[in-house]
């Protein structure tokens, strides 16, 4: 009972201080005497992970208000290096959702402290774990290792980030109270046993020192599974245990690596879990999360819900995992995560139950739900064969197929084409496919290959004077595990037919789809069985969030008013795409869809008022 009363006192103190910070009152924050100390007094951190890059900027405040209304006092966020270094040495911290300084300031205005997780490696089911794709082109660079090219790049990244947030640390009157050292490094140590522990430690210490040298001057922490502290813990940083539900074990392992004392924190407490295409949508029960939260409250354990609100992998930002059965497990566009706050920012049953547990007298009311609309019919005004768009692109010619990286392309698609003057038939082997390809002979589809199903070959018959086309999609680079160091895309090894390596005069057409394709001067040439671009528009008298219904479609991406809202794939479990109302407008709106498979022609598409995230149809993606 005394413990509960003391915890309530601490939470009230933290809440009062959190509210006071909006008035630019300068606070102190420290880790000392086995406690988190705010203005010299012990506090307990009740945080939620929510990433600025996954949420439209106009909705940042709403989502932060949702967190505050659940009874939380802090928000944690990764920083995504590749989101900000858009080309070598080119930094963007201002456009679209990239203004991290503004995100942090809004958090402060809403009475939340901030926990910053700069990486350089993050995970977050995000493309390449946050690394810029072009690092793979730098001679001598090995990510997550001690080598000059890599450490020079991380130093440049930390320096650029520090320039954005230096005035936002609690030491300068801002809300940032803690910064994480290299992320989940204990996991990587366990995965890369080919590297000595001494060498691993040398690397993580070097990155940690860079953060301090650049100027990050608030308390540091690390986060790893409780059994991975040997590889992940750093002298001078508080070790926290991801996913540890045994309070006694948590305290024991933190004590071992932190001088026999706390404070104790679970930096990733999972109220949901990540999702892959072609696999069931994982669910975590409300009852279990409420019960575990109560254990932490009773045990004086601070925590950070990962995720409190997941949001969306817009564009080509989603990453991928892998396992023994699949060479790639691409992550969904939706990052709903079964989190307490849904992808569209709704209060779920889980949210309400946790709010009931965490709320205090001064906890604000739940913000109003953003309006939702339905668009019953969006007719297409144009349907263009993608090959006609491809033919307006100047090809790169080479004796062998080149990777995306060799073509200096990060994301999207590459169309590989070769003209055969002599016939050849037999087995086509595409063992170096990364990640998904449709194969055509003289414009007729003959097969679909992809890395998820480990389908890398098919029978093929190429007649005299025929053209072989291989349309390849990058489905997202690996974001977790040892194979993250091998994340090149496209066709990365020789094309073999009937045992023969096919060389000479390969044409490669770059289709990055980094901007909406312009088909204004292209005729309606689309036919079933070939990739197509559909274009249409719709008129709204009011705006609101909605969900594009893609159940009748195959595989592709969608642009709304020029914004790539993400990938769809008929395998599910995600069958809708979230369209934020803040990206719609009263009056005319434009839609463009790249449909890769296009097994049937489409005349229209519609939106619905609720998402479909659990409709699994893996048979729709089986290679043919």
């Amino acid at each position: 009972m005394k413990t509960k009363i003391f915890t309530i006192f601490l939470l009230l103190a933290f809440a009062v201080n959190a509210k006071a910070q909006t008035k630019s009152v300068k606070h102190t924050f420290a880790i000392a005497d086995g406690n988190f100390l705010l203005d010299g007094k012990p506090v307990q951190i009740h945080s939620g992970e929510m990433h600025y890059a996954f949420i439209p900027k106009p909705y940042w405040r709403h989502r932060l208000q949702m967190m505050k209304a659940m009874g939380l006092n802090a928000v944690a966020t990764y920083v995504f290096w590749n989101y900000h270094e858009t080309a070598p040495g080119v930094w963007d911290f201002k456009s679209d959702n990239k203004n991290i300084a503004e995100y942090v300031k809004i958090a402060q205005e809403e009475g939340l402290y901030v926990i910053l997780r700069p990486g350089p490696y993050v995970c977050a089911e995000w493309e390449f774990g946050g690394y810029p794709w072009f690092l793979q082109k730098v001679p001598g660079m090995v990510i997550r290792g001690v080598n000059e090219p890599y450490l020079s790049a991380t130093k440049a990244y930390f320096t650029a980030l520090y320039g954005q947030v230096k005035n936002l640390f609690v030491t300068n009157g801002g809300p940032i109270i803690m910064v994480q050292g290299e992320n989940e490094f204990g996991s990587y140590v366990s995965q890369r046993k080919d590297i000595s522990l001494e060498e691993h430690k040398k690397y993580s210490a070097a990155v940690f020192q860079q953060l301090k040298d650049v100027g990050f001057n608030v308390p540091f922490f690390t986060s790893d599974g409780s059994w991975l502290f040997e590889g992940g813990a750093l002298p001078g940083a508080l070790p926290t245990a991801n996913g540890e539900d045994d309070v006694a074990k948590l305290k024991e392992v933190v004590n071992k690596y932190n001088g026999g004392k706390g404070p104790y924190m679970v930096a990733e407490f999972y109220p949901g879990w990540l999702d892959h295409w072609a696999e069931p949508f994982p669910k975590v029960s409300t009852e279990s999360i409420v019960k575990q939260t109560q254990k932490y409250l009773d045990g004086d354990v601070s925590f950070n819900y990962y995720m409190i609100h997941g949001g969306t992998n817009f564009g080509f930002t989603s990453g991928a995992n892998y396992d023994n059965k699949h060479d790639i497990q691409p992550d969904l566009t939706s990052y709903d995560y079964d989190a307490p706050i849904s992808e569209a920012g709704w209060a779920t049953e889980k949210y309400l139950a946790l709010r009931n547990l965490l709320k205090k007298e001064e906890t604000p009311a739940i913000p109003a739900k953003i309006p939702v609309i339905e668009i019953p019919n969006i007719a297409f005004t144009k349907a263009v064969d993608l090959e006609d768009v491809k033919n307006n692109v100047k090809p790169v010619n080479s004796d062998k197929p080149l990777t995306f990286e060799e073509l200096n392309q990060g994301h999207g698609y590459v169309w590989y084409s070769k003209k055969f003057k002599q016939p050849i038939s037999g087995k086509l082997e595409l063992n170096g496919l990364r990640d998904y390809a449709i194969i055509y002979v003289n414009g007729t589809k003959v097969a679909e290959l992809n890395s998820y199903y480990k389908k890398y070959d098919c029978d093929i018959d190429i007649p005299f004077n025929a053209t072989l086309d291989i349309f390849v999609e990058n489905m997202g680079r690996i974001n977790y595990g040892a194979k993250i160091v091998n994340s090149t895309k496209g066709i990365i090894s020789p094309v073999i037919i009937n045992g023969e390596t096919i060389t000479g005069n390969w044409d490669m057409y770059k289709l990055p789809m980094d901007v909406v394709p312009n088909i204004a001067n292209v005729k309606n040439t689309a036919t079933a069985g070939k990739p197509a671009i559909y274009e249409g528009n719709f008129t709204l008298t009011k705006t609101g969030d909605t969900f594009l219904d893609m159940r009748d479609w195959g595989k592709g991406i969608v642009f709304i008013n020029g914004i790539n809202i993400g990938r769809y794939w008929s395998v599910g479990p995600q069958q809708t795409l979230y369209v934020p109302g803040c990206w719609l407008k009263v009056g005319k709106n434009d839609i463009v869809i790249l449909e890769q498979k296009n097994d049937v022609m489409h005349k229209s598409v519609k939106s619905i008022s609720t998402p479909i995230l659990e409709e699994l149809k893996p048979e729709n993606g089986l290679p043919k």
Side-chain angles (χ1 to χ4, degrees):
M1 184 67 183
K2 289 181 180 179
T3 300
K4 289 184 178 180
I5 293 172
F6 183 62
T7 299
I8 292 170
F9 171 78
L10 295 181
L11 293 177
L12 286 170
F14 202 99
V16 169
N17 279 309
K19 190 171 184 179
Q21 67 167 318
T22 64
K23 301 175 182 179
S24 299
V25 176
K26 190 171 181 179
H27 297 284
T28 64
F29 183 85
I31 298 174
D33 304 323
N35 292 295
F36 295 115
L37 298 175
L38 182 68
D39 297 332
K41 298 177 182 178
V43 295
Q44 197 174 27
I45 297 171
H46 296 168
S47 175
E49 190 94 8
M50 189 168 75
H51 303 141
Y52 60 98
F54 289 70
I55 308 162
K57 183 179 177 181
Y59 287 171
W60 284 352
R61 189 176 298 275
H62 175 266
R63 304 301 196 257
L64 290 163
Q65 289 173 343
M66 288 289 292
M67 291 182 60
K68 187 69 175 176
M70 206 186 90
L72 300 181
N73 52 36
V75 56
T77 183
Y78 281 131
V79 183
F80 305 93
W81 178 359
N82 58 8
Y83 201 49
H84 299 290
E85 189 174 13
T86 56
V90 178
W91 299 92
D92 183 357
F93 286 96
K94 298 301 179 185
S95 69
D96 302 324
N97 302 343
K98 298 181 181 182
N99 195 333
I100 184 171
E102 184 170 346
Y103 182 75
V104 173
K105 289 174 186 175
I106 294 172
Q108 183 175 27
E109 290 168 3
E110 295 303 328
L112 293 166
Y113 285 94
V114 175
I115 298 170
L116 204 65
R117 308 177 72 189
Y121 162 79
V122 298
C123 183
E125 291 62 64
W126 178 271
E127 151 77 16
F128 203 17
Y131 287 117
W133 66 269
F134 47 78
L135 293 186
Q136 299 173 106
K137 294 170 59 67
V138 179
M141 181 178 288
V142 180
I143 62 173
R144 303 198 94 176
V146 180
N147 57 94
E148 194 280 331
Y150 175 71
L151 291 178
S152 291
T154 59
K155 184 70 173 290
Y157 160 55
F158 289 148
T159 302
L161 175 60
Y162 179 74
Q164 301 298 313
V165 300
K166 63 183 178 181
N167 295 323
L168 297 171
F169 295 117
V170 69
T171 45
N172 295 321
I176 300 174
I177 55 173
M178 289 199 299
V179 169
Q180 184 182 355
E182 173 63 294
N183 179 51
E184 296 177 316
F185 194 64
S187 295
Y188 192 65
V189 170
S190 71
Q191 294 154 359
R192 293 297 306 275
K193 296 186 183 300
D194 56 313
I195 301 173
S196 69
L197 180 60
E198 180 184 13
E199 189 71 7
H200 277 307
K201 287 285 193 179
K202 186 178 177 182
Y203 160 70
S204 59
V207 169
F208 188 36
Q209 188 62 47
Q210 284 185 344
L211 284 165
K212 291 184 282 189
D213 290 345
V214 163
F216 290 77
N217 62 354
V218 294
F220 291 94
F221 70 101
T222 60
S223 58
D224 294 283
S226 59
W227 62 97
L228 298 169
F229 278 19
E230 182 181 9
L234 284 166
L238 174 72
T240 67
N242 290 352
E244 182 55 69
D245 58 3
D246 186 328
V247 171
K249 184 176 180 181
L250 168 70
K251 293 184 175 182
E252 178 185 354
V253 70
V254 170
N255 288 347
K256 180 179 177 181
Y257 288 87
N258 196 51
K261 60 187 177 183
Y264 309 103
M265 183 170 182
V266 175
E268 291 191 5
F269 169 23
Y270 305 111
W273 196 242
L274 59 95
D275 311 283
H276 298 135
W277 292 108
E279 298 176 9
F281 184 96
K283 303 286 281 187
V284 178
S285 74
T286 296
E287 181 183 14
S288 67
I289 299 306
V290 170
K291 183 178 179 181
Q292 187 59 44
T293 300
Q294 187 65 61
K295 285 184 182 179
Y296 292 149
L297 294 174
D298 293 342
D300 194 21
V301 173
S302 293
F303 53 84
N304 174 53
Y305 292 109
Y306 188 103
M307 300 291 296
I308 193 66
H309 170 57
T312 309
N313 283 302
F314 296 112
F316 297 122
T317 59
S318 58
N321 298 109
Y322 60 90
D323 63 14
N324 292 333
K325 294 181 179 179
H326 309 94
D327 288 337
I328 187 172
Q329 295 169 291
D331 298 308
L332 300 185
T333 294
S334 171
Y335 200 50
D336 179 87
Y337 214 85
D338 193 29
I341 304 170
S342 77
E343 179 183 13
W346 302 348
T348 65
E349 172 194 302
K350 196 174 291 179
Y351 176 97
L352 296 174
L354 290 170
R355 181 177 190 271
N356 190 54
L357 184 64
L358 298 171
K359 70 178 179 179
K360 301 167 283 295
E361 186 176 344
E362 69 277 11
T363 299
I366 300 172
K369 182 178 176 181
I370 290 170
V372 177
I373 62 172
E374 288 190 4
I375 309 169
N377 183 66
I378 303 172
F380 298 119
T381 55
K382 212 161 197 180
V384 171
D385 190 326
L386 182 64
E387 188 163 14
D388 290 335
V389 176
K390 179 266 292 184
N391 289 338
N392 289 324
V393 175
K394 183 179 179 180
V396 177
N397 185 268
S398 175
D399 282 342
K400 66 179 183 69
L402 301 177
T403 67
F404 276 52
E405 291 73 18
E406 289 170 327
L407 292 166
N408 201 36
Q409 179 177 325
H411 311 101
Y413 309 83
V414 171
W415 187 305
Y416 297 82
S417 186
K418 179 172 172 56
K419 188 73 174 280
F420 286 78
K421 295 181 180 179
Q422 298 297 327
I424 187 170
S425 62
K427 180 182 286 187
L428 167 68
E429 297 177 64
L430 209 58
N431 296 318
L433 170 64
R434 303 292 184 273
D435 303 301
Y436 176 93
I438 306 179
I439 316 297
Y440 303 89
V441 174
N442 281 343
T444 299
K445 181 165 73 173
V446 296
E448 295 173 29
L449 308 179
N450 77 66
S451 299
Y452 178 80
Y453 290 105
K454 291 189 175 183
K455 176 63 175 173
Y456 295 114
D457 61 68
C458 64
D459 292 330
I460 199 163
D461 184 5
I462 302 175
F464 169 75
N465 202 35
T467 299
L468 169 67
D469 292 308
I470 306 174
F471 181 43
V472 176
E473 175 194 6
N474 164 10
M475 293 188 68
R477 291 178 178 84
I478 299 297
N479 63 258
Y480 179 82
K483 290 184 180 180
I484 193 172
V485 297
N486 302 311
S487 290
T488 49
K489 292 297 181 178
I491 297 177
I492 70 171
S493 69
V495 176
I496 297 171
I497 299 177
N498 197 32
E500 299 289 332
T501 298
I502 307 302
T503 58
N505 280 320
W506 280 95
D507 282 330
M508 283 143 285
Y509 299 83
K510 298 165 63 174
L511 299 166
M513 296 294 167
D514 50 346
V515 295
V516 62
N518 183 352
I519 58 173
N521 298 319
V522 187
K523 296 179 181 180
N524 284 329
T525 53
T527 57
K530 296 185 68 179
I533 297 177
Y534 292 87
E535 183 179 78
N537 57 72
F538 53 97
T539 300
L540 297 177
T541 56
K542 64 178 181 178
T543 62
D545 290 352
T546 194
F547 303 88
L548 210 60
D549 185 353
M550 306 308 294
R551 283 176 290 183
D552 295 332
W553 293 71
K555 195 175 197 304
I557 57 175
V558 178
F559 293 87
I560 298 287
N561 290 331
I563 299 172
N564 184 342
I565 63 169
R567 300 179 173 98
Y568 64 89
W569 191 9
S570 57
V571 298
Q574 178 180 354
Q575 300 289 350
T576 54
L577 283 172
Y578 172 53
V579 182
C582 58
W583 290 347
L584 298 173
K585 53 193 176 183
V586 172
K588 182 183 174 184
N589 294 263
D590 299 315
I591 183 170
V592 174
I593 301 177
L594 167 59
E595 166 55 48
Q596 298 162 229
K597 298 172 71 171
N598 204 41
D599 292 333
V600 297
M601 292 295 295
H602 298 272
K603 294 182 179 180
S604 64
V605 69
K606 66 178 180 179
S607 82
I608 54 180
S609 59
T610 55
I612 301 173
L613 299 177
E614 300 178 50
E615 193 171 305
L616 186 65
K617 296 181 178 180
E619 66 277 5
N620 285 354
L622 288 171
K624 297 178 176 63

